[in-house]
Amino acid sequence: MHTTNAPALRVAIVDDEPIARSRLRRLLGRIDSPPSTILIECGSAEAILSQGRGLPLDAVFIDIEMPGRSGLTALERWQGWRPEFVFVTAHHEHALKAFDLQATDYLTKPVAEKRLHQTLTRLWSHCRATGVEASGVGSPAERSLTERQIQILSLLGKGLANKEIAQALGLSHFTVRNHLMALFRLYGVSRRADLCRVAGPDMAG
């Protein structure tokens, strides 16, 4: 996700039902703080995978059960720098899988405006807490890690869980998760094992 020099969170809406897309668009439009702007609307996972990767998206609001590929598959197959994923679905049973894939939030339909506002606030906080620029994505030479991120990578490489990393560094679990999400985006991966593999040279600082 980009840092918050942008005037608003840049989001995508992905749902095969036009009515659902329209309702979410109206809800987003009613929330002024934090602000958001919709860069693209899609009706399928295939569409966002092909059209969304070239956009400076901060977040993707996506349904799970759609014709063709599911929203979960879109998250799994996203390549390169990845925006935050927020699932918006009528089905509760996919929540564990969604969070295993590092989804930022899981909203159930019909989405309440208050609940959506909480999600936008969380997204905005992620922007400010992680401080990861889109320009930092790319070759290792282009990455600039903070001292805290290097510490977290080192402990992650030793096999520590989020709670153990938080205890070792005197941080909250939420702060550790924020940093890990930033590192996932920075290295273009979505799993801890993949992050350890690709970030190996950076783990020593």
Side-chain angles (χ1 to χ4, degrees):
M1 182 180 289
H2 305 247
T3 54
T4 51
N5 291 326
L9 291 168
R10 291 156 290 202
V11 307
I13 296 176
V14 187
D15 199 305
D16 62 304
E17 298 180 358
I19 294 177
R21 295 198 304 270
S22 177
R23 184 176 188 278
L24 183 55
R25 187 191 320 121
R26 289 196 304 271
L27 286 175
L28 288 169
R30 290 207 294 259
I31 299 173
D32 295 325
S33 179
S36 62
T37 182
I38 300 168
L39 297 190
I40 187 173
E41 291 189 27
C42 299
S44 68
E46 288 87 350
I48 192 61
L49 283 172
S50 63
Q51 302 172 35
R53 289 173 182 162
L55 297 175
L57 290 168
D58 294 313
V60 175
F61 289 83
I62 187 169
D63 192 13
I64 289 183
E65 294 194 355
M66 297 181 287
R69 292 175 179 169
S70 71
L72 293 169
T73 301
L75 173 53
E76 288 180 301
R77 298 198 177 185
W78 195 280
Q79 296 180 356
W81 175 81
R82 197 190 80 190
E84 304 279 3
F85 266 66
V86 176
F87 289 104
V88 185
T89 177
H91 305 278
H92 298 267
E93 63 268 23
H94 302 296
L96 288 178
K97 175 66 173 177
F99 287 118
D100 281 345
L101 293 173
Q102 305 298 326
T104 299
D105 211 341
Y106 193 95
L107 307 179
T108 53
K109 298 178 181 177
V111 179
E113 184 174 338
K114 181 178 180 181
R115 181 67 177 84
L116 180 59
H117 183 262
Q118 293 174 344
T119 298
L120 290 174
T121 300
R122 179 180 298 180
L123 290 168
W124 191 261
S125 296
H126 280 190
C127 287
R128 303 184 68 87
T130 58
V132 173
E133 298 276 4
S135 59
V137 181
S139 67
E142 294 173 327
R143 300 188 186 110
S144 178
L145 300 181
T146 66
E147 181 180 354
R148 183 66 77 193
Q149 288 170 333
I150 293 171
Q151 292 172 336
I152 289 173
L153 274 177
S154 178
L155 294 175
L156 186 69
K158 295 177 181 178
L160 272 65
N162 287 13
K163 183 177 181 180
E164 294 171 319
I165 294 173
Q167 291 174 342
L169 298 178
L171 303 173
S172 70
H173 182 275
F174 182 72
T175 298
V176 171
R177 183 179 182 276
N178 276 351
H179 281 294
L180 282 175
M181 290 299 294
L183 289 165
F184 283 127
R185 292 190 298 276
L186 186 61
Y187 287 92
V189 297
S190 59
R191 295 179 176 83
R192 296 167 70 92
D194 292 334
L195 179 60
C196 289
R197 174 176 53 80
V198 300
D202 298 326
M203 286 183 176

